[in-house]
Amino acid sequence: MSPPSLIDVHPNLAGTAPVALSYELFPPRSPQAAESLWTTIGELEATDPDYVSVTYGASGSNRDTAVELINRLLLETTLRPLAHLTCVGNSPEELAEIIGELLDHGVRGILALRGDLPKDGGVPASGSLRYAQDLIELIRRVEQRRSALLCAGKVAVGVAAYPTRHPESPSEGHDIEVLLAKQRSGADFAITQVFFHTEQYADLVSRARRAGVTIPIIPGVMPLTSLRRLKRLGELTGVEPAPELIERLAAADSDAERRRIGVRATVDLANAALHAGAPGIHLYTFNEHACALDVLDKLALPRPARPISRLNAIARRQELAS
Ligand code: FAD
């Protein structure tokens, strides 16, 4: 008799896979902003996300506040930080130093980005890394030098993916080639830029899969409840806001109505992405928890049951913080 095949002895993995949940935060710009951010962090921690990402100013100007926020998250919360890092604004030597510092503090996830180019049209300093792909390779080199220290968990490297053409890219096809190149250089997962149309996530994933991209692509969704913010976002990212959303927000006659519209639009985007097989949902929060929690309430994500000890740790930390 032949031994049972792996498939026969393997536990049944059919059924709904858990969906990852994550939030994006940015380092506070003032003591008041820090205070309200920590209220938000407490509220978000109670939802037990898989990680929270912390943005990094492409000018390198908020390096200290970003590292400080990441350290506090590691020391004072149960949250796992995903540190954004950009090529723009730092020399390769400085970047290697920051990566080493992050790893030494216990960070195990880095989102490798090029960063937005200076608005004044200035070119990055000579010798600086040109593309996110170069930063992935640098992270892997720093990691390699610490491989014996990382036996209990290697570094997960994430990258940006674009449901609509990156403003500097010649085509969506080129964006997919870049994503594939980032995967080849060692990216483990991608998080998408914001998008406003329900079919755009599925389109991106199917184009990426056809080209050979196999890494998870996590949709980034942003509850937009203010016209001003929506327009500003369009300017910053080059992503054209959906005209219907602009019209509906403009016609709303109260903040409550705008919040309802913004949350509903985000839930629709997230549900369409989940329907297309998204392995997680990444919520851009603007350091505010109310809309993110509204979205989460309406999504009812299949989430893994957490050990009671972890939930107790969260509750204890919240008690201490209050
Ligand atoms: P890249 O992948 O390097 O692409 C940049 C441009 O170069 C693209 O047009 C691409 O087509 C082209 N390109 C890339 N590689 C090649 C190649 N080998 N040959 C030819 N062309 C190439 N910005 C911040 O400053 N701080 C943040 O914290 C931050 N967080 C973000 C988080 C997410 C999830 C996303 C989606 C974006 C974030 N950004 C952030 C914005 C990001 O930095 C910008 O979108 C930036 O313009 C491009 O970054 P990238 O990592 O996609 O760059």
Side-chain angles (χ1 to χ4, degrees):
M1 200 177 87
S2 57
S5 79
L6 259 188
I7 292 186
D8 294 335
V9 293
H10 212 283
N12 182 9
L13 294 182
T16 317
V19 168
L21 170 67
S22 53
Y23 302 108
E24 181 186 278
L25 304 172
F26 58 84
R29 296 186 186 120
S30 67
Q32 293 83 339
E35 203 178 317
S36 96
L37 172 61
W38 279 91
T39 305
T40 286
I41 289 172
E43 296 286 336
L44 298 179
E45 185 182 17
T47 66
D48 200 17
D50 296 283
Y51 56 94
V52 289
S53 80
V54 175
T55 65
Y56 188 87
S59 60
S61 56
N62 70 354
R63 170 180 169 170
D64 293 344
T65 38
V67 172
E68 190 187 320
L69 174 57
I70 289 167
N71 284 341
R72 277 194 70 186
L73 288 170
L74 284 166
L75 290 171
E76 298 175 28
T77 75
T78 56
L79 297 166
R80 282 174 285 262
L82 169 70
H84 296 208
L85 205 54
T86 62
C87 305
V88 176
N90 293 105
S91 67
E93 293 72 24
E94 285 165 336
L95 284 167
E97 191 191 310
I98 300 168
I99 297 161
E101 195 183 336
L102 289 170
L103 299 191
D104 293 344
H105 288 168
V107 171
R108 291 294 177 268
I110 300 180
L111 195 65
L113 302 149
R114 185 201 60 184
D116 282 320
L117 298 175
K119 290 273 176 275
D120 59 12
V123 282
S126 82
S128 54
L129 300 182
R130 191 156 176 211
Y131 297 122
Q133 194 184 346
D134 303 320
L135 180 54
I136 301 167
E137 287 166 13
L138 179 63
I139 295 168
R140 290 304 182 204
R141 288 201 344 253
V142 176
E143 180 185 32
Q144 183 61 34
R145 286 167 61 88
R146 283 171 164 71
S147 51
L149 306 179
L150 296 169
C151 292
K154 293 199 165 193
V155 181
V157 179
V159 292
Y162 296 89
T164 54
R165 185 180 59 78
H166 182 268
E168 294 161 44
S169 165
S171 66
E172 290 186 342
H174 176 83
D175 285 339
I176 296 289
E177 281 169 31
V178 168
L179 184 56
L180 188 60
K182 293 196 266 196
Q183 172 179 291
R184 289 200 183 112
S185 291
D188 296 300
F189 65 98
I191 301 180
T192 76
Q193 182 57 285
V194 288
F195 58 101
F196 292 106
H197 298 280
T198 48
E199 69 287 357
Q200 284 171 333
Y201 171 79
D203 284 354
L204 165 69
V205 173
S206 73
R207 284 185 284 114
R209 297 292 178 246
R210 276 202 303 275
V213 175
T214 53
I215 55 175
I217 300 175
I218 298 161
V221 292
M222 182 180 284
L224 283 159
T225 57
S226 120
L227 260 187
R228 189 185 48 81
R229 200 172 263 180
L230 185 63
K231 288 184 178 155
R232 177 95 184 103
L233 180 81
E235 287 159 18
L236 282 175
T237 60
V239 180
E240 193 73 30
E244 317 83 80
L245 185 57
I246 297 185
E247 274 165 34
R248 292 176 61 214
L249 287 174
D253 50 17
S254 67
D255 285 347
E257 179 63 1
R258 278 184 281 277
R259 178 161 158 184
R260 200 189 58 72
I261 292 167
V263 166
R264 186 69 255 163
T266 312
V267 169
D268 289 346
L269 288 176
N271 272 332
L274 289 168
H275 190 68
I281 294 292
H282 185 67
L283 277 161
Y284 293 105
T285 66
F286 279 115
N287 286 6
E288 291 164 6
H289 55 275
C291 291
L293 296 184
D294 278 2
V295 170
L296 196 59
D297 254 9
K298 294 188 171 48
L299 280 179
L301 298 177
R303 303 273 298 134
R306 299 295 177 173
I308 198 80
S309 53
R310 183 168 164 79
L311 299 177
N312 285 343
I314 295 173
R316 255 201 318 277
R317 285 197 198 268
Q318 308 239 297
E319 255 175 50
L320 285 175
S322 64

